[in-house]
Amino acid sequence: MLGEVARAALELLMNPATYQFQSDFARKYIAMGNAEMLLKLLRIKGFTVSPELAARVESCKDVDQLDLWAERVVTATSLDDIFPAAR
C-alpha cells in the first residue's frame, strides 16, 4: 500500500541486522536469548561454565555487553579473554 520510497525507507529502518528495539519488554527477551546463545557458544568452544559465570551471563540485561562477550568467544583461548577481570 505504501509508495516505493516510503516502503524502502521503512525497510531500511526496520533492518533486522541494525534495528534497535525500544521497549523494555523486547530488550529483556532479546537479552535473554543472547545470554542463552552465549552460554551455548562457550560450551561448544569447550569452556567449562561455572554456575557463577552462568548466573553472571544470565543476569546481564545489556545487549551490547552480551554481544561483546559473544564476539570475544571466537578468538578466545581462555575465559579471561572473554571476561577480563575488572581493573
Side-chain angles (χ1 to χ4, degrees):
M1 301 292 290
L2 293 175
E4 188 66 28
V5 173
R7 187 178 61 77
L10 284 175
E11 286 178 358
L12 183 63
L13 286 172
M14 300 294 290
N15 181 343
T18 59
Y19 182 75
Q20 294 292 318
F21 289 93
Q22 302 301 312
S23 76
D24 290 336
F25 177 84
R27 292 181 64 76
K28 173 185 173 186
Y29 287 100
I30 289 169
M32 286 174 54
N34 287 3
E36 289 177 22
M37 183 56 67
L38 175 57
L39 292 172
K40 185 174 186 174
L41 289 172
L42 291 169
R43 291 182 180 111
I44 289 169
K45 184 88 180 210
F47 293 118
T48 300
V49 178
S50 68
E52 295 80 15
L53 178 57
R56 178 181 176 190
V57 169
E58 290 169 344
S59 68
C60 182
K61 303 303 179 218
D62 183 344
V63 174
D64 293 332
Q65 180 64 67
L66 290 164
D67 286 345
L68 177 63
W69 288 337
E71 288 174 10
R72 291 177 179 168
V73 171
V74 176
T75 58
T77 58
S78 74
L79 288 174
D80 289 335
D81 294 337
I82 304 164
F83 308 99
R87 294 189 169 98

